Amino acid sequence: DLDQEGPEPGSEEEDASLPPTVFFVCAASAEALVFVNGRRLRFRGRVHGGKDGAVALRHDDRVALGHCAYVLLVQDPGQAAVAELAGAAPVSYDSCVHEVMLKRSHGDKDYKERLAAFVINKLRLPLARAAFEEQLLRAVHGVKEANALFEECGSFVRFRVMGGGEVKLARLYSLRLEDALPHHAVRISVQAVLITREEADRDEQRNFKLAAKSAQASRGGGGGGGG
């Protein structure tokens, strides 16, 4: 719900001596998802004036409805020039989504758990990265050998290296890939697929060109050494 105090902007009642119009926002029900600057408003009634869960909106405040289905940016023409001179950072839809999805108060019950996960991820990053790279290297080596063998036999089966994992939303504290999906959480798998004859012909042509280029490079290197 959006409540208003003061005269309508541009109306005859509006006067410079009167206080500016103030808007209040509150959650209309217990199920309503209303966020102001990333913080969810709790339903405590519908009385405005800063009571019962309603808050007054100021210039550049962000109001998000639902899971950021709609994002409203509060603009006060009288404060816009001041904010620009102060070098205020521009507000975008992505930044609003970021603060709603990731910003949590220090009073959240899972704050300690998320902080511990952050520290642990940073401490074991070198070991986790080394283990991930070793696993990926083995998968790539095996897939390359298998694809070469199946291609030599004229088969239309090819293997691919797949990587992925679950993003733990409860522990998500940033949108960086290494935080959303740490190395130790990535699962490497091999997938077998059937390709068409056209794709097989393209593979054969590509391998032929690579072999020809490699042979040419070898001849060039041998000639230089002999000279």
Side-chain angles (χ1 to χ4, degrees), residues 6 13-15 19-21 26 32-33 35 45 51 67 75 101 109 111 118 147-148 151 162 190 195 202 208 213:
E13 301 177 6
E14 185 179 31
D15 186 84
T21 300
C26 66
L33 293 177
F35 300 86
K51 300 178 181 179
H67 294 288
Q75 291 291 283
M101 296 302 171
K109 62 181 180 180
Y111 172 73
F118 172 80
N147 283 340
E151 185 176 349
M162 311 295 291
V190 176
I195 63 174
R202 284 198 298 269
F208 178 79
K213 185 179 295 184

Side-chain angles (χ1 to χ4, degrees), residues 45-222:
R46 302 181 62 178
V47 180
H48 65 269
K51 300 178 181 179
D52 294 333
V55 298
L57 300 177
R58 298 177 175 82
H59 178 71
D60 267 356
D61 279 352
R62 286 82 57 201
V63 180
L65 306 179
H67 294 288
C68 295
Y70 297 93
V71 176
L72 309 177
L73 178 63
V74 179
Q75 291 291 283
D76 183 350
Q79 297 294 323
V82 177
E84 185 176 355
L85 290 175
V91 180
S92 66
Y93 175 79
D94 287 341
S95 65
C96 295
V97 174
H98 186 279
E99 70 178 357
V100 169
M101 296 302 171
L102 299 183
K103 183 178 180 181
R104 302 175 176 90
S105 67
H106 287 256
D108 286 352
K109 62 181 180 180
D110 63 338
Y111 172 73
K112 292 183 179 180
E113 182 179 349
R114 290 186 287 107
L115 179 60
F118 172 80
V119 175
I120 291 174
N121 284 345
K122 296 305 178 185
L123 290 177
R124 66 182 181 185
L125 178 60
L127 294 177
R129 178 183 295 167
F132 167 77
E133 291 177 350
E134 181 180 359
Q135 184 184 14
L136 179 59
L137 182 61
R138 290 180 178 178
V140 170
H141 180 253
V143 164
K144 281 184 172 292
E145 284 193 341
N147 283 340
L149 178 61
F150 275 69
E151 185 176 349
E152 185 72 21
C153 296
S155 173
F156 292 103
V157 176
R158 295 292 185 273
F159 297 93
R160 298 173 180 173
V161 178
M162 311 295 291
E166 179 187 359
V167 177
K168 301 289 186 179
L169 300 182
R171 299 185 179 184
L172 190 62
Y173 43 80
S174 86
L175 296 180
R176 293 181 300 179
L177 180 59
E178 64 177 14
D179 295 330
L181 195 61
H183 290 86
H184 68 271
V186 179
R187 298 292 177 261
I188 301 296
S189 60
V190 176
Q191 181 184 65
V193 296
L194 283 174
I195 63 174
T196 63
R197 181 176 297 276
E198 290 75 13
E199 291 175 316
D201 291 341
R202 284 198 298 269
D203 286 348
E204 185 177 358
Q205 294 174 6
R206 183 179 63 252
N207 292 336
F208 178 79
K209 290 179 180 179
L210 290 175
K213 185 179 295 184
S214 177
Q216 184 178 2
S218 298
R219 288 195 300 269

